[in-house]
Amino acid sequence: MFISFEGVDGTGKTSIIKEIQKKLNNTHYYNEPNNQFGQISKFGMDGFNKIDLLYMWWASRKFELNRSPSNKIILADRYYDSTYVYLNNHINEPIITHNYDPQYFRKPEITFIFHASLDNILERTKNRNEKKDVFEDHNKMIERKMIFDEVWL
Protein backbone atom coordinates (compact mmCIF):
# COMPACT_ATOMS: atom_id res chain seq x y z
CA MET A 1 0.00 0.00 0.00
CA PHE A 2 1.22 3.50 -0.85
CA ILE A 3 -0.02 6.46 1.23
CA SER A 4 1.05 10.05 0.58
CA PHE A 5 0.85 12.99 2.96
CA GLU A 6 0.75 16.37 1.21
CA GLY A 7 0.90 19.91 2.55
CA VAL A 8 2.98 22.96 3.36
CA ASP A 9 5.82 22.67 5.90
CA GLY A 10 4.54 22.83 9.45
CA THR A 11 1.12 21.25 8.88
CA GLY A 12 1.94 18.08 10.85
CA LYS A 13 2.66 15.53 8.11
CA THR A 14 5.89 14.18 9.59
CA SER A 15 4.46 14.12 13.11
CA ILE A 16 1.50 12.01 11.99
CA ILE A 17 3.73 9.66 9.98
CA LYS A 18 5.95 9.10 13.04
CA GLU A 19 2.87 8.22 15.11
CA ILE A 20 1.67 5.78 12.45
CA GLN A 21 5.09 4.13 12.40
CA LYS A 22 4.90 3.61 16.16
CA LYS A 23 1.61 1.71 15.71
CA LEU A 24 2.46 -0.28 12.57
CA ASN A 25 5.52 -2.47 12.15
CA ASN A 26 5.36 -2.90 8.41
CA THR A 27 6.06 0.63 7.14
CA HIS A 28 8.68 2.35 5.02
CA TYR A 29 9.16 6.11 5.45
CA TYR A 30 9.73 7.95 2.20
CA ASN A 31 10.83 11.59 2.37
CA GLU A 32 12.72 13.99 0.15
CA PRO A 33 14.71 11.99 -2.36
CA ASN A 34 18.39 12.03 -1.65
CA ASN A 35 19.59 10.55 -4.93
CA GLN A 36 21.42 11.89 -7.97
CA PHE A 37 18.21 13.21 -9.56
CA GLY A 38 17.20 15.01 -6.37
CA GLN A 39 20.63 16.57 -6.00
CA ILE A 40 20.55 17.93 -9.55
CA SER A 41 17.06 19.35 -9.05
CA LYS A 42 18.00 20.95 -5.69
CA PHE A 43 21.28 22.49 -6.74
CA GLY A 44 20.90 22.81 -10.51
CA MET A 45 23.27 21.88 -13.26
CA ASP A 46 24.53 23.69 -16.32
CA GLY A 47 22.27 23.21 -19.31
CA PHE A 48 19.11 22.45 -17.33
CA ASN A 49 16.26 24.94 -17.47
CA LYS A 50 13.49 25.28 -14.87
CA ILE A 51 11.16 22.77 -16.49
CA ASP A 52 14.03 20.25 -16.70
CA LEU A 53 14.60 20.68 -12.96
CA LEU A 54 10.91 20.08 -12.20
CA TYR A 55 10.88 16.86 -14.17
CA MET A 56 14.21 15.85 -12.62
CA TRP A 57 12.65 16.29 -9.16
CA TRP A 58 9.66 14.16 -10.15
CA ALA A 59 12.05 11.55 -11.57
CA SER A 60 13.91 11.53 -8.24
CA ARG A 61 10.65 10.85 -6.38
CA LYS A 62 9.79 8.02 -8.78
CA PHE A 63 13.29 6.59 -8.38
CA GLU A 64 12.98 6.56 -4.57
CA LEU A 65 9.51 5.05 -4.71
CA ASN A 66 10.75 2.28 -7.02
CA ARG A 67 13.50 1.51 -4.48
CA SER A 68 10.98 1.24 -1.63
CA PRO A 69 10.30 -2.29 -0.32
CA SER A 70 7.23 -3.76 -2.00
CA ASN A 71 6.22 -5.74 1.08
CA LYS A 72 5.80 -2.66 3.29
CA ILE A 73 3.27 0.13 3.63
CA ILE A 74 4.96 3.15 2.07
CA LEU A 75 4.33 6.41 3.92
CA ALA A 76 5.42 9.27 1.66
CA ASP A 77 6.11 12.61 3.29
CA ARG A 78 5.17 14.49 0.11
CA TYR A 79 4.99 13.16 -3.40
CA TYR A 80 3.89 14.46 -6.79
CA ASP A 81 1.58 17.33 -5.78
CA SER A 82 3.91 18.88 -3.23
CA THR A 83 6.78 18.73 -5.69
CA TYR A 84 4.70 20.66 -8.19
CA VAL A 85 3.73 23.27 -5.60
CA TYR A 86 7.18 23.80 -4.13
CA LEU A 87 9.05 23.98 -7.41
CA ASN A 88 6.38 26.13 -9.00
CA ASN A 89 6.65 28.51 -6.04
CA HIS A 90 10.44 28.30 -5.88
CA ILE A 91 11.06 29.45 -9.43
CA ASN A 92 8.45 32.24 -9.21
CA GLU A 93 6.74 31.67 -12.53
CA PRO A 94 4.12 29.27 -13.82
CA ILE A 95 5.99 26.48 -15.57
CA ILE A 96 3.49 23.79 -16.42
CA THR A 97 -0.06 22.92 -15.56
CA HIS A 98 -0.67 20.41 -12.82
CA ASN A 99 -0.77 17.21 -14.86
CA TYR A 100 -0.63 13.97 -12.90
CA ASP A 101 0.46 11.24 -15.29
CA PRO A 102 -0.60 7.83 -13.91
CA GLN A 103 1.39 6.09 -16.67
CA TYR A 104 4.57 7.55 -15.20
CA PHE A 105 3.80 7.94 -11.50
CA ARG A 106 2.42 5.34 -9.18
CA LYS A 107 -0.77 6.75 -7.79
CA PRO A 108 -1.10 6.55 -4.00
CA GLU A 109 -3.98 4.43 -2.74
CA ILE A 110 -4.66 7.16 -0.17
CA THR A 111 -3.57 10.80 -0.04
CA PHE A 112 -4.00 12.90 3.08
CA ILE A 113 -3.94 16.63 2.47
CA PHE A 114 -2.84 18.78 5.41
CA HIS A 115 -3.94 22.40 5.78
CA ALA A 116 -3.15 24.91 8.52
CA SER A 117 -3.33 28.63 9.00
CA LEU A 118 -0.24 30.67 8.19
CA ASP A 119 0.10 31.59 11.89
CA ASN A 120 0.06 27.90 12.92
CA ILE A 121 2.59 27.01 10.25
CA LEU A 122 4.95 29.77 11.34
CA GLU A 123 4.56 28.82 14.99
CA ARG A 124 5.27 25.13 14.33
CA THR A 125 8.36 25.88 12.24
CA LYS A 126 9.90 28.86 14.02
CA ASN A 127 12.65 26.77 15.63
CA ARG A 128 13.69 24.96 12.48
CA ASN A 129 16.99 26.56 11.58
CA GLU A 130 17.13 24.96 8.14
CA LYS A 131 13.76 26.52 7.27
CA LYS A 132 14.32 29.94 8.82
CA ASP A 133 14.89 31.82 5.57
CA VAL A 134 11.73 30.35 3.99
CA PHE A 135 9.43 31.14 6.88
CA GLU A 136 10.63 34.71 7.38
CA ASP A 137 8.92 35.54 4.08
CA HIS A 138 5.19 35.48 4.83
CA ASN A 139 4.33 36.42 1.26
CA LYS A 140 6.13 33.33 -0.05
CA MET A 141 4.18 31.12 2.37
CA ILE A 142 0.88 32.75 1.39
CA GLU A 143 1.70 32.21 -2.28
CA ARG A 144 2.65 28.58 -1.62
CA LYS A 145 -0.62 27.97 0.27
CA MET A 146 -2.54 29.50 -2.66
CA ILE A 147 -0.88 27.07 -5.09
CA PHE A 148 -1.70 24.16 -2.76
CA ASP A 149 -5.32 25.31 -2.59
CA GLU A 150 -5.47 25.63 -6.37
CA VAL A 151 -4.22 22.06 -6.80
CA TRP A 152 -6.37 20.43 -4.12
CA LEU A 153 -9.53 22.45 -3.67
Side-chain angles (χ1 to χ4, degrees), residues 33-65:
N34 201 8
N35 57 57
Q36 62 271 33
F37 307 111
Q39 295 303 306
I40 291 169
S41 61
K42 276 185 193 178
F43 303 112
M45 181 179 234
D46 290 341
F48 282 96
N49 65 31
K50 293 170 184 177
I51 294 173
D52 294 333
L53 295 176
L54 176 67
Y55 281 104
M56 187 67 70
W57 193 253
W58 280 332
S60 73
R61 292 205 182 272
K62 181 177 181 178
F63 179 80
E64 289 294 322
L65 183 60

Side-chain angles (χ1 to χ4, degrees), residues 30-31 75 78 97 112-113 128 130 139 145-146:
Y30 166 81
N31 195 4
L75 305 173
R78 297 205 176 108
T97 59
F112 292 98
I113 301 165
R128 294 184 190 176
E130 74 277 7
N139 291 333
K145 280 182 60 60
M146 287 172 54

Side-chain angles (χ1 to χ4, degrees), residues 13-136:
K13 299 176 308 301
T14 306
S15 298
I16 293 296
I17 291 170
K18 287 178 182 177
E19 289 300 314
I20 292 170
Q21 286 188 295
K22 287 179 187 175
K23 306 281 187 220
L24 300 175
N25 297 343
N26 195 30
T27 63
H28 174 73
Y29 178 67
Y30 166 81
N31 195 4
E32 278 193 26
N34 201 8
N35 57 57
Q36 62 271 33
F37 307 111
Q39 295 303 306
I40 291 169
S41 61
K42 276 185 193 178
F43 303 112
M45 181 179 234
D46 290 341
F48 282 96
N49 65 31
K50 293 170 184 177
I51 294 173
D52 294 333
L53 295 176
L54 176 67
Y55 281 104
M56 187 67 70
W57 193 253
W58 280 332
S60 73
R61 292 205 182 272
K62 181 177 181 178
F63 179 80
E64 289 294 322
L65 183 60
N66 287 345
R67 293 186 342 166
S68 299
S70 60
N71 63 338
K72 295 195 176 241
I73 299 168
I74 300 166
L75 305 173
D77 193 338
R78 297 205 176 108
Y79 186 55
Y80 180 90
D81 293 323
S82 290
T83 301
Y84 167 80
V85 170
Y86 273 75
L87 285 176
N88 217 7
N89 181 258
H90 173 68
I91 63 177
N92 295 321
E93 65 182 63
I95 46 177
I96 63 169
T97 59
H98 184 256
N99 182 13
Y100 187 91
D101 182 355
Q103 299 298 317
Y104 186 76
F105 290 98
R106 179 177 172 191
K107 186 172 181 172
E109 280 82 12
I110 302 171
T111 297
F112 292 98
I113 301 165
F114 287 67
H115 292 278
S117 71
L118 184 59
D119 289 341
N120 285 342
I121 290 167
L122 294 171
E123 179 63 29
R124 286 180 54 92
T125 58
K126 70 181 176 185
N127 295 323
R128 294 184 190 176
N129 290 332
E130 74 277 7
K131 305 283 186 189
K132 187 175 181 185
D133 58 329
V134 174
F135 291 102
E136 287 176 349

